[in-house]
Every structure is written in C-alpha cells, then in structure tokens.
Amino acid sequence: MQTELSKRLGVEHALFGFTPFPAVAAALSRAGGLGVLGAVRYADPDELRRDLDWIEAHVDAKPYGLDVVMPAKKVEGVTEADVEAMIPAGHRQYVEDTLTKYGVPGLDEGEAAGWRITGWMEEVARTQLDVAFEHPIKLLANALGSPPADVIERAHQKGVLVAALAGSARHARKHAEAGIDIVVAQGYEAGGHTGEIATMVLTPEVVDAVAPLPVLAAGGIGSGQQVAAALTLGAQGVWLGSIWLTTTEADMHSPALTRKLLAAGSGDTVRSRALTGKPARQLRTEWTDAWDDPNGPGTLPMPLQGLLVAEAVSRIQKHEVGPLLGTPVGQIVGRMTSERSVQEVVDDLTRGFEQAVDRLDRIAGRSHG
C-alpha cells in the first residue's frame, strides 16, 4: 500500500492518521503509517513538548507529524477576554438552562474547562510550532487551510512537508498557490469541520485541480476497500481520524462515550455549529438538538460559540451525562463496532486493500499467478 508520497516520507503504508492521542499517533507510526498528533488542545507548550518527547521515544525511529490550527490571516490585538465580552447574556443563560434541565453538575472549584479557545489563537499555534520544530517531525498539517507564508517557509527550511485541508477544488487551488506540499481533500462525511462535497466527488476534483501535488483523501474512510477506491481516484494516500477514537490506545476518559460511539450507526451524526460555531460533524445528541432548535437563540460565530460552551462541554464529559454526551466523529462511526488496537485496524485496512486490488485484477482479467 505504497505510493510516491508514502515512499517520500519513509512510511510503509499510505495511511495518515490524525489523532489527539499521543499513544495512537505512536502506534500508527510503528504499524507502518504516519501518526499525526493534533495540537489544538495544547495551550501549554511544555505539555506539548512532553507528549512529542514521548512519541519520539515510542515510534521506533519511524516518522510522525503534527496538526495545528492557525488562520492564514492574523487578527491583531484581540485577547480571550475581548472575545468573552462579545458573548450575549441570553446565550449564557441558555447554556445554564440546558445544563440545569439535564441535571449536569458543575466543575470542581478551580477546575478549568478542558477545551478553550486558546488553541485556536495564532500566538498559541506559533508556540506549538516552536516546540514542534525542536523535534524531527516529517509533516505539518493545518486544519484551517494554508498556514501563514512564513510558517510554510520555516517548515520547508526544516525539511518538513506542509499539508492543508480543503473542502473544495477552489480551496485546494489556493493552497497550491500558497506553496503547500500536500492537499487533504476532506469530504462531507468527515468528522469535525467539513464542507458540503462528498469524498467520492471531491477527491478526483482536487486531484485534477492541484496536479501534480499529492492529494490525501479524507472523510468516511475506514476500510481497505475504501483506501483502494481513494487511490483509484488519484489520491496518494488517505487521511483517517474518526476510526482511531475507539482503539484501545485512545484515551477517551469516558467509557460512556466509547459505548455511544460503538453503538452508533452511520446515520447518527450531524453537521452542527454547536461546538465551535462552524459546521462540524459530530454525534447527534440532545445537546446538538438544543442548539439546532429554532426556538433557541441559535449558535454564535466562531470563536464565540466555542468559548461559550467550553465549560459546559467539560461538565457534560466529566459527569458522563448520556443524553448530551458527544464528540466530533464522521459517518464512518457505523463501522466502529468494537474496540481494537491500532495495529489491528491497520491490519484490517491492509487486508481489505489487498482484497479490493485482487478483485479489480480479476475484473480486468489480470492475475498475480
């Protein structure tokens, strides 16, 4: 399952895995893919340094990468307190009323919300990059599109390839013009922030739009047959995120959430602005329903919504309030029916890929005999 890009990066399989969990990233790299650690939750650079040190010590000298969230354009002079002040009192009351309705306890005194806006602010992302470039990362991905030009230049000086996510061919062309090395074509089925175009349609459009730049297909991929389909459409690999959430290495901190993921079908997700203010695919819950309710106040634009609900989401997760408990996840959740190790997932992907290629060979009248 090698392509020109996987060979360039020194990985055995063209499997690129985004994950917030260091143990998953390391396990994927050991298994022959390329583990990419999501940095958005690391407001403290020392915490990121500790986890990258851990990954480096557990990848058996295999390559790995980092995913950051930074806008291409900087907004000067805006602090988190400034953003807090923009949140209407009515929205804050709606959050409290919803939590009260479901009996959600508060956090302990002095306990901070686990997810804050800080990871989305450029100055934080730049401190993350300072830490990242202390390590031998092979790939830097940006979830908000092309990173600033100086970041791309700095990565290239370090010999690091830069990837950017795109939800349309138009976005992909902008990334190519900005000088990135890899476009991740992220389809509608994907977990998290995603656009309107399905992976099957988007992938060949992006491949044609940015040729000869390599493209990774993302969104709804969780089987080897789908990997084969992506490569047939012209991609040089696949970008996988949701499939790792129910692996044994994933530290979800919530058995109840893992059970919900394992029980969910492919129709149990929704693109909602409830989490960040931008459409993000996640488990459909009574929390997402509350924010999509026409009788409610509606969501706020990014980054206000994320800051508004940060503490509420932490309370829901900490106390495992079932009806409200959710997470970003793609439509591939319907295939996530049992807890498996990362190695078992990779083995299943490679086995399914081989079966798909054999099937195509038979259809084409070829054989390996």
Side-chain angles (χ1 to χ4, degrees):
M1 207 155 56
Q2 280 202 335
T3 64
E4 188 178 323
L5 178 61
S6 66
K7 292 175 183 175
R8 182 179 177 186
L9 285 163
V11 297
E12 182 181 357
H13 305 302
L15 303 173
F16 298 74
F18 164 81
T19 175
F21 307 117
V24 173
L28 177 56
S29 288
R30 288 197 307 272
L34 193 137
V36 182
L37 180 67
V40 71
R41 67 187 180 90
Y42 292 95
D44 181 355
D46 289 334
E47 186 182 354
L48 177 60
R49 181 177 290 107
R50 181 199 68 202
D51 282 357
L52 287 177
D53 287 344
W54 187 92
I55 289 174
E56 195 171 326
H58 290 83
V59 292
D60 297 342
K62 302 287 181 65
Y64 62 95
L66 189 75
D67 179 279
V68 296
V69 177
M70 60 189 313
K73 296 180 180 178
K74 186 173 183 177
V75 179
E76 297 284 355
V78 177
T79 67
E80 186 171 333
D82 294 332
V83 179
E84 283 266 17
M86 300 177 191
I87 297 174
H91 281 73
R92 293 190 186 280
Q93 189 61 51
Y94 187 70
V95 169
E96 284 307 313
D97 289 347
T98 304
L99 295 176
T100 300
K101 176 182 175 182
Y102 289 91
V104 182
L107 298 176
D108 295 335
E109 186 174 347
E111 185 178 3
W115 187 91
R116 300 293 285 176
I117 187 180
T118 48
W120 296 78
M121 300 179 77
E122 182 178 344
E123 56 265 34
V124 175
R126 286 188 178 274
T127 64
Q128 293 168 345
L129 291 174
D130 290 340
V131 172
F133 289 136
E134 295 171 3
H135 296 77
I137 63 170
K138 296 297 184 183
L139 178 70
L140 175 67
N142 187 34
L144 283 184
S146 303
D150 68 294
V151 171
I152 297 174
E153 182 180 356
R154 187 179 178 191
H156 287 165
Q157 288 173 349
K158 294 280 187 178
V160 176
L161 296 184
V162 180
L165 275 66
S168 71
R170 179 175 59 85
H171 291 153
R173 289 189 195 97
K174 287 185 176 180
H175 298 339
E177 292 165 3
I180 61 95
D181 306 290
I182 303 164
V183 176
V184 181
Q186 186 186 39
Y188 172 82
E189 304 95 324
H193 296 121
T194 182
E196 303 277 356
I197 306 172
T199 306
M200 190 78 173
V201 175
L202 180 65
T203 301
E205 284 187 357
V206 172
V207 168
D208 291 344
V210 301
L213 280 186
V215 172
L216 300 177
I221 300 173
S223 72
Q225 290 83 354
Q226 291 171 305
V227 176
L231 300 190
T232 302
L233 293 172
Q236 288 203 29
V238 293
W239 181 267
L240 308 169
S242 298
I243 197 73
W244 314 114
L245 291 175
T246 53
T247 57
T248 52
E249 291 90 346
D251 190 7
M252 291 290 285
H253 299 296
S254 173
L257 181 53
T258 298
R259 288 193 296 271
K260 285 191 78 170
L261 288 169
L262 294 173
S266 56
D268 292 329
T269 69
V270 63
R271 283 174 79 246
S272 170
R273 298 177 184 269
L275 188 61
T276 68
K278 280 192 173 185
R281 187 172 297 284
Q282 54 203 282
L283 278 181
R284 181 177 180 180
T285 66
E286 292 182 33
W287 178 255
T288 61
D289 287 349
W291 285 103
D292 294 335
D293 187 341
N295 295 318
T299 56
L300 297 169
M302 181 185 274
L304 301 182
Q305 182 72 15
L307 193 55
L308 169 67
V309 304
E311 181 180 323
V313 170
S314 293
R315 288 166 60 180
I316 291 165
Q317 291 176 343
K318 176 181 179 178
H319 299 291
E320 296 192 312
V321 183
L324 305 180
L325 191 61
T327 184
V329 69
Q331 291 180 334
I332 197 63
V333 70
R335 291 187 65 95
M336 296 155 52
T337 56
S338 64
E339 289 189 75
R340 299 178 292 168
S341 69
V342 169
Q343 183 66 63
E344 287 175 312
V345 173
V346 171
D347 289 345
D348 182 61
L349 291 167
T350 55
R351 186 165 48 246
F353 176 82
E354 290 170 358
Q355 292 169 352
V357 172
D358 286 345
R359 187 181 304 119
L360 288 174
D361 281 341
R362 289 194 299 274
I363 292 170
R366 294 187 295 265
S367 74
H368 295 294

